[in-house]
Short mmCIF file of all heavy atoms in Angstrom, two decimals:
data_model
loop_
_atom_site.label_atom_id
_atom_site.label_comp_id
_atom_site.label_asym_id
_atom_site.label_seq_id
_atom_site.Cartn_x
_atom_site.Cartn_y
_atom_site.Cartn_z
N TRP A 668 -26.36 -0.76 40.24
CA TRP A 668 -25.26 -1.58 40.76
C TRP A 668 -25.19 -2.94 40.09
O TRP A 668 -24.07 -3.45 39.85
CB TRP A 668 -25.42 -1.73 42.29
CG TRP A 668 -24.94 -0.53 43.04
CD1 TRP A 668 -25.67 0.40 43.69
CD2 TRP A 668 -23.57 -0.15 43.23
NE1 TRP A 668 -24.88 1.36 44.24
CE2 TRP A 668 -23.55 1.05 44.00
CE3 TRP A 668 -22.36 -0.68 42.82
CZ2 TRP A 668 -22.41 1.70 44.36
CZ3 TRP A 668 -21.18 -0.03 43.19
CH2 TRP A 668 -21.20 1.14 43.94
N VAL A 669 -26.33 -3.54 39.85
CA VAL A 669 -26.31 -4.85 39.19
C VAL A 669 -25.71 -4.75 37.79
O VAL A 669 -24.83 -5.54 37.41
CB VAL A 669 -27.75 -5.43 39.13
CG1 VAL A 669 -27.79 -6.65 38.22
CG2 VAL A 669 -28.22 -5.81 40.51
N PHE A 670 -26.19 -3.77 36.99
CA PHE A 670 -25.68 -3.62 35.65
C PHE A 670 -24.20 -3.16 35.68
O PHE A 670 -23.44 -3.52 34.76
CB PHE A 670 -26.51 -2.61 34.87
CG PHE A 670 -27.91 -3.12 34.55
CD1 PHE A 670 -28.99 -2.26 34.49
CD2 PHE A 670 -28.12 -4.45 34.33
CE1 PHE A 670 -30.25 -2.72 34.23
CE2 PHE A 670 -29.38 -4.94 34.06
CZ PHE A 670 -30.44 -4.07 34.00
N ALA A 671 -23.84 -2.39 36.66
CA ALA A 671 -22.43 -1.97 36.76
C ALA A 671 -21.51 -3.14 37.02
O ALA A 671 -20.33 -3.12 36.66
CB ALA A 671 -22.29 -0.94 37.91
N LEU A 672 -22.03 -4.21 37.63
CA LEU A 672 -21.23 -5.41 37.85
C LEU A 672 -21.32 -6.37 36.67
O LEU A 672 -20.34 -7.02 36.33
CB LEU A 672 -21.70 -6.10 39.14
CG LEU A 672 -21.44 -5.36 40.46
CD1 LEU A 672 -22.06 -6.11 41.63
CD2 LEU A 672 -19.96 -5.15 40.67
N LEU A 673 -22.50 -6.49 36.08
CA LEU A 673 -22.69 -7.48 35.05
C LEU A 673 -22.03 -7.08 33.70
O LEU A 673 -21.33 -7.89 33.09
CB LEU A 673 -24.19 -7.72 34.82
CG LEU A 673 -24.92 -8.56 35.89
CD1 LEU A 673 -26.38 -8.69 35.54
CD2 LEU A 673 -24.26 -9.89 36.06
N PHE A 674 -22.26 -5.84 33.30
CA PHE A 674 -21.77 -5.44 31.97
C PHE A 674 -20.26 -5.49 31.86
O PHE A 674 -19.71 -5.96 30.86
CB PHE A 674 -22.29 -4.07 31.61
CG PHE A 674 -23.67 -4.09 31.02
CD1 PHE A 674 -24.76 -3.60 31.68
CD2 PHE A 674 -23.89 -4.66 29.76
CE1 PHE A 674 -26.05 -3.65 31.15
CE2 PHE A 674 -25.14 -4.72 29.21
CZ PHE A 674 -26.23 -4.21 29.89
N PRO A 675 -19.48 -5.00 32.87
CA PRO A 675 -18.03 -5.15 32.74
C PRO A 675 -17.59 -6.63 32.67
O PRO A 675 -16.67 -6.98 31.95
CB PRO A 675 -17.49 -4.46 34.00
CG PRO A 675 -18.56 -3.49 34.37
CD PRO A 675 -19.83 -4.14 34.01
N SER A 676 -18.30 -7.47 33.44
CA SER A 676 -17.99 -8.89 33.38
C SER A 676 -18.24 -9.48 32.02
O SER A 676 -17.39 -10.22 31.46
CB SER A 676 -18.80 -9.65 34.45
OG SER A 676 -18.55 -9.13 35.75
N VAL A 677 -19.39 -9.15 31.47
CA VAL A 677 -19.70 -9.66 30.13
C VAL A 677 -18.74 -9.09 29.10
O VAL A 677 -18.27 -9.80 28.19
CB VAL A 677 -21.17 -9.28 29.77
CG1 VAL A 677 -21.45 -9.65 28.31
CG2 VAL A 677 -22.15 -10.01 30.68
N LEU A 678 -18.42 -7.80 29.23
CA LEU A 678 -17.49 -7.18 28.30
C LEU A 678 -16.11 -7.83 28.39
O LEU A 678 -15.46 -8.09 27.36
CB LEU A 678 -17.39 -5.68 28.59
CG LEU A 678 -16.51 -4.86 27.64
CD1 LEU A 678 -17.04 -4.92 26.23
CD2 LEU A 678 -16.43 -3.42 28.13
N LEU A 679 -15.67 -8.10 29.62
CA LEU A 679 -14.38 -8.76 29.79
C LEU A 679 -14.36 -10.16 29.19
O LEU A 679 -13.41 -10.52 28.47
CB LEU A 679 -14.03 -8.83 31.28
CG LEU A 679 -12.72 -9.52 31.67
CD1 LEU A 679 -11.54 -8.76 31.02
CD2 LEU A 679 -12.57 -9.56 33.17
N LEU A 680 -15.40 -10.92 29.45
CA LEU A 680 -15.47 -12.28 28.89
C LEU A 680 -15.53 -12.23 27.36
O LEU A 680 -14.85 -13.04 26.69
CB LEU A 680 -16.72 -13.01 29.44
CG LEU A 680 -16.68 -13.36 30.93
CD1 LEU A 680 -18.03 -13.98 31.37
CD2 LEU A 680 -15.55 -14.33 31.21
N SER A 681 -16.30 -11.33 26.82
CA SER A 681 -16.41 -11.22 25.35
C SER A 681 -15.07 -10.81 24.74
O SER A 681 -14.67 -11.33 23.69
CB SER A 681 -17.49 -10.19 24.99
OG SER A 681 -18.75 -10.57 25.53
N THR A 682 -14.40 -9.85 25.37
CA THR A 682 -13.08 -9.43 24.85
C THR A 682 -12.10 -10.56 24.90
O THR A 682 -11.33 -10.79 23.93
CB THR A 682 -12.59 -8.24 25.66
OG1 THR A 682 -13.55 -7.17 25.66
CG2 THR A 682 -11.25 -7.73 25.13
N LEU A 683 -12.04 -11.31 26.01
CA LEU A 683 -11.13 -12.45 26.10
C LEU A 683 -11.46 -13.48 25.03
O LEU A 683 -10.54 -14.05 24.41
CB LEU A 683 -11.21 -13.09 27.47
CG LEU A 683 -10.65 -12.24 28.65
CD1 LEU A 683 -10.91 -12.96 29.97
CD2 LEU A 683 -9.15 -12.00 28.47
N ALA A 684 -12.75 -13.74 24.84
CA ALA A 684 -13.14 -14.72 23.81
C ALA A 684 -12.72 -14.28 22.41
O ALA A 684 -12.19 -15.06 21.63
CB ALA A 684 -14.67 -14.96 23.88
N ILE A 685 -12.96 -13.01 22.12
CA ILE A 685 -12.62 -12.48 20.77
C ILE A 685 -11.11 -12.52 20.56
O ILE A 685 -10.62 -12.97 19.50
CB ILE A 685 -13.15 -11.07 20.62
CG1 ILE A 685 -14.67 -11.07 20.58
CG2 ILE A 685 -12.61 -10.42 19.35
CD1 ILE A 685 -15.30 -9.70 20.58
N LEU A 686 -10.35 -12.11 21.59
CA LEU A 686 -8.90 -12.15 21.45
C LEU A 686 -8.38 -13.57 21.30
O LEU A 686 -7.48 -13.82 20.49
CB LEU A 686 -8.27 -11.48 22.69
CG LEU A 686 -8.47 -9.97 22.85
CD1 LEU A 686 -7.84 -9.50 24.11
CD2 LEU A 686 -7.88 -9.23 21.64
N GLN A 687 -8.97 -14.49 22.04
CA GLN A 687 -8.56 -15.89 21.95
C GLN A 687 -8.91 -16.47 20.58
O GLN A 687 -8.13 -17.23 19.99
CB GLN A 687 -9.18 -16.71 23.04
CG GLN A 687 -8.71 -18.16 23.11
CD GLN A 687 -7.22 -18.23 23.37
OE1 GLN A 687 -6.66 -17.43 24.10
NE2 GLN A 687 -6.56 -19.25 22.82
N VAL A 688 -10.09 -16.11 20.09
CA VAL A 688 -10.50 -16.60 18.74
C VAL A 688 -9.57 -16.05 17.68
O VAL A 688 -9.12 -16.78 16.78
CB VAL A 688 -11.95 -16.21 18.47
CG1 VAL A 688 -12.29 -16.44 16.98
CG2 VAL A 688 -12.91 -17.02 19.32
N GLU A 689 -9.24 -14.75 17.77
CA GLU A 689 -8.31 -14.18 16.80
C GLU A 689 -6.95 -14.82 16.88
O GLU A 689 -6.29 -15.09 15.86
CB GLU A 689 -8.20 -12.67 17.05
CG GLU A 689 -9.47 -11.89 16.71
CD GLU A 689 -9.30 -10.40 16.97
OE1 GLU A 689 -8.28 -10.03 17.54
OE2 GLU A 689 -10.22 -9.64 16.57
N LYS A 690 -6.50 -15.09 18.12
CA LYS A 690 -5.20 -15.75 18.30
C LYS A 690 -5.22 -17.16 17.72
O LYS A 690 -4.29 -17.59 17.02
CB LYS A 690 -4.84 -15.78 19.78
CG LYS A 690 -3.48 -16.35 20.05
CD LYS A 690 -3.15 -16.32 21.55
CE LYS A 690 -1.78 -16.94 21.81
NZ LYS A 690 -1.46 -16.95 23.25
N THR A 691 -6.31 -17.89 17.99
CA THR A 691 -6.44 -19.21 17.46
C THR A 691 -6.51 -19.23 15.94
O THR A 691 -5.90 -20.06 15.27
CB THR A 691 -7.71 -19.92 18.03
OG1 THR A 691 -7.67 -19.86 19.44
CG2 THR A 691 -7.78 -21.36 17.59
N TYR A 692 -7.27 -18.23 15.41
CA TYR A 692 -7.34 -18.10 13.96
C TYR A 692 -5.96 -17.82 13.36
O TYR A 692 -5.57 -18.39 12.32
CB TYR A 692 -8.32 -16.98 13.62
CG TYR A 692 -8.47 -16.68 12.17
CD1 TYR A 692 -9.33 -17.45 11.36
CD2 TYR A 692 -7.75 -15.65 11.52
CE1 TYR A 692 -9.50 -17.20 10.03
CE2 TYR A 692 -7.89 -15.40 10.19
CZ TYR A 692 -8.77 -16.18 9.42
OH TYR A 692 -8.90 -15.92 8.10
N GLU A 693 -5.22 -16.93 14.00
CA GLU A 693 -3.88 -16.64 13.53
C GLU A 693 -2.97 -17.83 13.62
O GLU A 693 -2.17 -18.08 12.71
CB GLU A 693 -3.33 -15.46 14.36
CG GLU A 693 -1.94 -15.00 13.90
CD GLU A 693 -1.44 -13.86 14.72
OE1 GLU A 693 -2.19 -13.33 15.58
OE2 GLU A 693 -0.25 -13.46 14.53
N GLN A 694 -3.08 -18.60 14.71
CA GLN A 694 -2.27 -19.79 14.85
C GLN A 694 -2.62 -20.84 13.79
O GLN A 694 -1.71 -21.48 13.23
CB GLN A 694 -2.45 -20.39 16.25
CG GLN A 694 -1.85 -19.55 17.36
CD GLN A 694 -2.16 -20.13 18.73
OE1 GLN A 694 -2.99 -21.05 18.88
NE2 GLN A 694 -1.51 -19.62 19.76
N LEU A 695 -3.94 -20.96 13.51
CA LEU A 695 -4.34 -21.90 12.47
C LEU A 695 -3.80 -21.47 11.11
O LEU A 695 -3.26 -22.31 10.34
CB LEU A 695 -5.87 -21.99 12.43
CG LEU A 695 -6.49 -22.88 11.36
CD1 LEU A 695 -6.05 -24.34 11.57
CD2 LEU A 695 -8.00 -22.77 11.37
N THR A 696 -3.93 -20.18 10.80
CA THR A 696 -3.43 -19.69 9.52
C THR A 696 -1.92 -19.88 9.42
O THR A 696 -1.39 -20.27 8.38
CB THR A 696 -3.78 -18.21 9.38
OG1 THR A 696 -5.19 -18.05 9.52
CG2 THR A 696 -3.37 -17.69 8.00
N THR A 697 -1.23 -19.58 10.53
CA THR A 697 0.23 -19.73 10.52
C THR A 697 0.62 -21.20 10.33
O THR A 697 1.57 -21.50 9.59
CB THR A 697 0.82 -19.20 11.82
OG1 THR A 697 0.41 -17.81 11.99
CG2 THR A 697 2.31 -19.29 11.84
N SER A 698 -0.09 -22.10 11.04
CA SER A 698 0.21 -23.52 10.93
C SER A 698 0.03 -24.01 9.50
O SER A 698 0.91 -24.68 8.92
CB SER A 698 -0.65 -24.30 11.90
OG SER A 698 -0.46 -25.71 11.75
N GLU A 699 -1.14 -23.73 8.94
CA GLU A 699 -1.38 -24.19 7.57
C GLU A 699 -0.50 -23.47 6.59
O GLU A 699 -0.06 -24.04 5.57
CB GLU A 699 -2.85 -23.97 7.20
CG GLU A 699 -3.85 -24.72 8.09
CD GLU A 699 -3.68 -26.22 7.97
OE1 GLU A 699 -3.17 -26.71 6.94
OE2 GLU A 699 -4.08 -26.94 8.92
N GLY A 700 -0.23 -22.16 6.83
CA GLY A 700 0.70 -21.44 5.97
C GLY A 700 2.08 -22.02 5.98
O GLY A 700 2.81 -22.04 4.97
N THR A 701 2.49 -22.51 7.17
CA THR A 701 3.80 -23.15 7.27
C THR A 701 3.85 -24.42 6.43
O THR A 701 4.86 -24.70 5.75
CB THR A 701 4.11 -23.45 8.75
OG1 THR A 701 4.08 -22.25 9.49
CG2 THR A 701 5.49 -24.13 8.88
N SER A 702 2.77 -25.21 6.48
CA SER A 702 2.72 -26.42 5.64
C SER A 702 2.81 -26.08 4.18
O SER A 702 3.56 -26.75 3.41
CB SER A 702 1.43 -27.18 5.95
OG SER A 702 1.32 -27.56 7.29
N LEU A 703 2.08 -25.05 3.76
CA LEU A 703 2.14 -24.65 2.35
C LEU A 703 3.53 -24.14 2.00
O LEU A 703 4.05 -24.44 0.92
CB LEU A 703 1.09 -23.56 2.09
CG LEU A 703 1.07 -22.97 0.68
CD1 LEU A 703 0.78 -24.07 -0.34
CD2 LEU A 703 0.05 -21.85 0.58
N HIS A 704 4.11 -23.38 2.91
CA HIS A 704 5.44 -22.84 2.63
C HIS A 704 6.49 -23.96 2.49
O HIS A 704 7.42 -23.85 1.65
CB HIS A 704 5.84 -21.87 3.75
CG HIS A 704 7.16 -21.21 3.53
ND1 HIS A 704 7.36 -20.25 2.55
CD2 HIS A 704 8.39 -21.40 4.14
CE1 HIS A 704 8.61 -19.86 2.58
NE2 HIS A 704 9.24 -20.52 3.53
N LEU A 705 6.33 -24.99 3.28
CA LEU A 705 7.25 -26.13 3.17
C LEU A 705 7.11 -26.80 1.80
O LEU A 705 8.12 -27.19 1.17
CB LEU A 705 6.99 -27.13 4.28
CG LEU A 705 7.36 -26.66 5.71
CD1 LEU A 705 6.96 -27.70 6.73
CD2 LEU A 705 8.85 -26.39 5.81
N LEU A 706 5.87 -26.95 1.31
CA LEU A 706 5.66 -27.54 -0.01
C LEU A 706 6.27 -26.68 -1.08
O LEU A 706 6.95 -27.17 -2.01
CB LEU A 706 4.18 -27.72 -0.25
CG LEU A 706 3.45 -28.76 0.61
CD1 LEU A 706 1.96 -28.81 0.24
CD2 LEU A 706 4.05 -30.13 0.43
N VAL A 707 6.03 -25.35 -0.98
CA VAL A 707 6.56 -24.45 -1.98
C VAL A 707 8.10 -24.46 -1.94
O VAL A 707 8.75 -24.44 -2.99
CB VAL A 707 6.03 -23.02 -1.76
CG1 VAL A 707 6.71 -22.03 -2.70
CG2 VAL A 707 4.51 -23.02 -2.00
N SER A 708 8.66 -24.50 -0.75
CA SER A 708 10.13 -24.56 -0.64
C SER A 708 10.66 -25.83 -1.28
O SER A 708 11.71 -25.82 -1.97
CB SER A 708 10.54 -24.50 0.84
OG SER A 708 10.11 -23.28 1.43
N GLN A 709 9.94 -26.95 -1.04
CA GLN A 709 10.35 -28.21 -1.70
C GLN A 709 10.31 -28.09 -3.22
O GLN A 709 11.25 -28.52 -3.92
CB GLN A 709 9.45 -29.32 -1.22
CG GLN A 709 9.71 -30.67 -1.87
CD GLN A 709 8.70 -31.73 -1.46
OE1 GLN A 709 7.99 -31.54 -0.49
NE2 GLN A 709 8.64 -32.81 -2.20
N LEU A 710 9.22 -27.52 -3.75
CA LEU A 710 9.12 -27.36 -5.18
C LEU A 710 10.16 -26.39 -5.74
O LEU A 710 10.70 -26.57 -6.86
CB LEU A 710 7.73 -26.90 -5.55
CG LEU A 710 6.60 -27.87 -5.27
CD1 LEU A 710 5.26 -27.26 -5.64
CD2 LEU A 710 6.80 -29.16 -6.07
#
């Protein structure tokens, strides 16, 4: 019963963290990519 409660909780927290990290990474890439795209458009 203890492991049945702990492991889903840990799995849920880990999944949320991974998804948030991937989302943040994507947002960072998109943000910097937008800056680069603006420079390229200017050139």
Side-chain angles (χ1 to χ4, degrees):
W668 279 107
V669 169
F670 291 147
L672 293 175
L673 286 180
F674 276 111
S676 302
V677 173
L678 183 61
L679 178 60
L680 291 175
S681 302
T682 303
L683 290 176
I685 292 173
L686 292 177
Q687 185 62 34
V688 168
E689 291 180 352
K690 183 178 179 180
T691 306
Y692 178 83
E693 183 179 354
Q694 290 176 349
L695 177 63
T696 305
T697 303
S698 175
E699 299 297 337
T701 302
S702 301
L703 177 61
H704 183 71
L705 292 176
L706 293 179
V707 173
S708 299
Q709 175 185 345
L710 294 178

